[in-house]
């Protein structure tokens, strides 16, 4: 838990304050003074002097009173010396603005470790190092070297990038958007984004939490924290580093398709975090959440004085799955007498181009208390008869009695500049174009649904480790094997309730024929059994549709010969003769272990859908039922699992249960690094699934 002194100190000391206006130490000290911080502000500089009428003391020991918050703008070694000395003065929180730590590598890494140890020993929580600082407008605290302080508001923002902090700060000041707190995380030697989120969840001055992250070291803690925080307040994050360049090499489909960004997206979604793709999106969502209530339903009414913008808004709503509200007869009866005959009472409601403020006012007043409408978007284009300022005032006035979110898009620039200021002052978020307004509404809708998600308990692992699975994995590790082929992996999966086709092992052609007979003849499949071969089809290690003893005998020779030719170093144990399962649709289900978030599960249709289209969904284990259901329905090819062209629908419930079984397996066995069940055959509804092939990679658990 963060100490309250970090955001609400009674006194502040700046170690490294300087009279030189070009230095960071001067910027931090002057910001504290000019922001009107009410408590004592001590500047520490061996040269003495004064800044803005405040005397500087020559050393920490010379500070005449207690210190709640220490701000360090001195070289790293001086920071390490200063922390215990300021702690002796009562400091419980510190901000290390100084650079020269982990970000420079080498000796800087050791210095940062020493910083963390010094802070822990002194009982001090530290923000930074290598950060911009911190601002709390509600405490008149600007302990940063930012340029200016934003107006008071209810938005809080944290960032790993100090430069982005300054950009957001400048936007807030320029647009007169109120902020509660700015927190620059820097290197996160101690205080992390999870700490900040947990603090802001209890902060009465924060309504919406924004953030920019580049990396999250403790993914499990972040996921747990975000689940707790987002039930209470929206969290909107921009994540940098989204390309495939960060993906690690992997032997499984799941591992090769995953990559770090897949894990972040899955964790954000499961934690209820909204992901903004751009900084522009971050601003747009911040406005909506900070000014308007979260919608209780999804029916949108669009009010406009021009057809084009109304159509753009309606198109965007349809693409995002937001239904346009039906205009009931009772509402039509209220509106119709107020509008000219050429107006449109469809949705969008078009009050036509010559509309003055009174038409907007009449329609908006009629909407108040209307149960068939959940959100309103007011559009305005400046035309000869338009009254932008009066229309803005009418929008603000009417929205006060609606109790539902109201958005605006007053298009243009010079003509609508004053009306935009009126809207902002009246807590109506205005967007330059209609599409951005609708996207903001959609994000607020998503949040209203996400925060009611049935999150599983942290560390859920209800099944324990089945003895058979534990033995198989243990024996493979003891033998020094990192890869487990189908024969071994099958035993682990069967212990978790997966069904496989009937099968028999054979190490000669005669044994293969005997295996064929034991399966009751019919059509069979032959697969190579070799711990060195994970992708059997690549080396001719699979033959399908064998339907006689002669074919089985020949197939044994073909399969083993092909593998010896194409993979001469592989040890061949023999073959597996398996019954051939008819019908069904091929799926892939897998897991790879992400270094930050742990088990990352993948689901998709097999064949070209995974090989070429990469049509897959990801979630972090443990999975709730809702997580698993969403994974199945999220893939673009989901309609192929439903009934189409006379086919029976697939057993979706069996897929959901299979995902949750793999989730439990992944939590139970940290030794399993990657897992593919490919193909996993799903049969028609009520008939379940059959795992056809599987493989795993393992390592000693950390």
């Amino acid at each position: 838990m963060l100490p309250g002194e970090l955001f609400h100190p009674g006194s502040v000391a700046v170690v490294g304050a300087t009279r030189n206006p070009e230095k960071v130490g001067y910027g931090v000290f002057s910001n504290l003074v000019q922001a009107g911080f009410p408590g004592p502000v001590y500047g520490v500089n061996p040269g003495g002097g004064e800044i803005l009428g405040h005397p500087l003391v020559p050393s920490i020991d010379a500070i005449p009173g207690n210190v709640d918050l220490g701000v360090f703008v001195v070289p790293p070694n001086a920071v390490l010396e200063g922390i215990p000395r300021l702690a002796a003065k009562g400091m419980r929180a510190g901000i290390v603005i100084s650079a020269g730590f982990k970000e420079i590598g080498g000796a800087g890494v050791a210095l940062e470790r020493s910083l963390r140890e010094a802070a822990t020993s002194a009982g001090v929580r530290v923000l930074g190092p290598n950060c911009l600082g911190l601002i709390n407008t509600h405490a008149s605290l600007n302990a940063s070297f930012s340029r200016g302080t934003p107006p008071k508001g209810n938005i809080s923002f944290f960032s790993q990038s100090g430069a982005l902090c300054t950009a957001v700060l400048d936007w807030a000041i320029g647009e007169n958007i109120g902020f509660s707190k700015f927190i620059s995380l820097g290197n996160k030697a101690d205080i992390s984004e999870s700490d900040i989120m947990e603090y802001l969840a209890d902060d009465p001055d924060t309504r919406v939490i924004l953030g920019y992250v580049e990396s999250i070291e403790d993914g499990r803690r972040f996921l747990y924290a975000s689940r707790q925080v987002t039930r209470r307040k929206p969290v909107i994050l921009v994540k940098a580093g989204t390309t495939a360049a960060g993906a690690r090499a992997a032997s499984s489909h799941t591992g090769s398709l995953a990559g770090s960004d897949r894990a972040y997206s899955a964790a954000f979604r499961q934690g209820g975090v909204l992901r903004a793709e751009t900084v522009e999106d971050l601003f747009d969502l911040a406005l909506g959440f900070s000014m308007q209530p979260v919608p209780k339903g999804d029916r949108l009414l669009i009010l406009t004085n021009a057809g084009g913008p109304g159509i753009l808004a309606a198109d965007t709503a349809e693409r995002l799955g937001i239904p346009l509200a039906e205009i009931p007869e009772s509402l039509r009866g209220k509106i119709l007498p107020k509008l000219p005959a050429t107006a449109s009472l469809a949705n969008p409601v078009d009050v036509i181009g010559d509309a003055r403020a009174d038409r907007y006012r009449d329609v908006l007043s009629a909407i108040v208390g209307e149960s068939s409408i959940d959100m309103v978007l007011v559009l305005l284009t400046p035309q000869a008869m338009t009254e932008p300022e009066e229309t803005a005032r009418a929008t603000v006035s009417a929205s006060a009695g609606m109790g539902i979110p109201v958005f605006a898009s007053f298009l243009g620039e010079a003509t609508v500049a004053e009306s935009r200021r009126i809207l902002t002052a009246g807590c109506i978020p205005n967007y330059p174009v209609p599409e951005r307004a609708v996207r903001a509404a959609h994000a607020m809708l998503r949040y209203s649904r996400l925060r009611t998600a049935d999150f599983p308990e942290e560390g859920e692992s209800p099944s324990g480790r089945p003895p058979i699975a534990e033995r198989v994995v243990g024996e493979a590790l003891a033998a020094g094997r990192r890869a487990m082929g189908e024969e071994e992996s099958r035993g682990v999966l069967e212990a978790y309730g997966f069904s496989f086709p009937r099968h028999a092992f054979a190490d000669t052609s005669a044994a293969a024929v005997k295996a064929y007979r034991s399966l009751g003849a019919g059509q069979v499949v032959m697969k190579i059994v070799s711990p060195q071969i994970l992708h059997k089809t690549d080396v001719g290690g699979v033959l399908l549709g064998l339907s006689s003893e002669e074919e089985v005998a020949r197939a044994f020779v073909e399969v083993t010969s092909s593998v010896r030719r194409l993979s001469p170093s592989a040890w061949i144990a023999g073959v597996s003769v398996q019954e051939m399962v008819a019908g069904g649709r091929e799926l892939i289900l897998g897991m790879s272990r992400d270094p930050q978030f742990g088990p990352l599960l993948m689901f998709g249709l097999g064949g070209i859908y995974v090989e070429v289209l990469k049509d897959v969904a990801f979630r972090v284990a443990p999975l709730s039922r809702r997580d698993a259901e969403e994974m199945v329905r999220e893939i673009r090819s989901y309609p192929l699992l439903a009934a189409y062209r006379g086919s029976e629908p697939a057993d979706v419930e069996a897929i959901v249960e299979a995902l949750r079984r793999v989730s439990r397996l992944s939590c139970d066995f940290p030794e399993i690094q990657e897992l593919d069940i490919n193909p996993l055959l799903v049969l028609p509804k009520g008939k379940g699934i059959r795992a056809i092939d599987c493989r795993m990679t393992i390592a000693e658990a950390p």
Side-chain angles (χ1 to χ4, degrees), residues 443-512:
M444 294 178 72
L445 270 174
R446 283 178 52 217
Y447 172 69
S448 70
R449 294 162 180 162
L450 283 171
R451 70 176 177 178
T452 62
D454 55 329
F455 297 141
E457 291 298 317
E458 180 69 8
E460 175 190 9
S461 183
S463 64
R465 290 165 67 107
I468 294 176
E470 190 160 21
R471 177 180 57 78
V472 171
V473 173
E475 289 176 354
L477 286 171
R481 290 198 298 278
R482 174 168 168 76
M484 295 203 314
E486 180 184 348
E487 292 295 310
E488 290 177 300
S489 300
R490 184 193 299 129
V492 175
L493 290 168
E494 284 177 336
Y496 280 84
F498 282 89
S499 297
F500 286 79
R502 292 183 303 132
H503 57 278
F505 174 77
D507 55 3
T508 65
S509 58

Side-chain angles (χ1 to χ4, degrees), residues 25 64 79 167 299 324 342 379 390 397 417 578 580 653:
V79 175
R299 297 163 298 179
L324 297 186
T342 52
L379 306 179
E390 286 304 312
S397 176
Q578 303 176 3
M580 194 162 177
E653 178 59 31

Side-chain angles (χ1 to χ4, degrees), residues 298 316-323 442 445 449:
D298 59 2
T316 305
E318 182 174 341
R319 282 194 296 271
L320 295 174
I322 301 176
H442 179 249
L445 270 174
R449 294 162 180 162

Side-chain angles (χ1 to χ4, degrees), residues 287-304:
L287 288 179
F289 280 105
S290 68
M291 294 182 177
Q292 290 294 305
V294 174
K296 296 178 181 177
D298 59 2
R299 297 163 298 179
L300 173 68
L301 181 130
I302 302 169
L303 175 61
T304 182

Side-chain angles (χ1 to χ4, degrees), residues 109-124:
V109 176
L111 281 169
E112 187 159 316
R113 189 182 308 115
S114 298
L115 168 64
R116 185 164 49 249
E117 292 169 354
T120 301
S121 298
V124 175

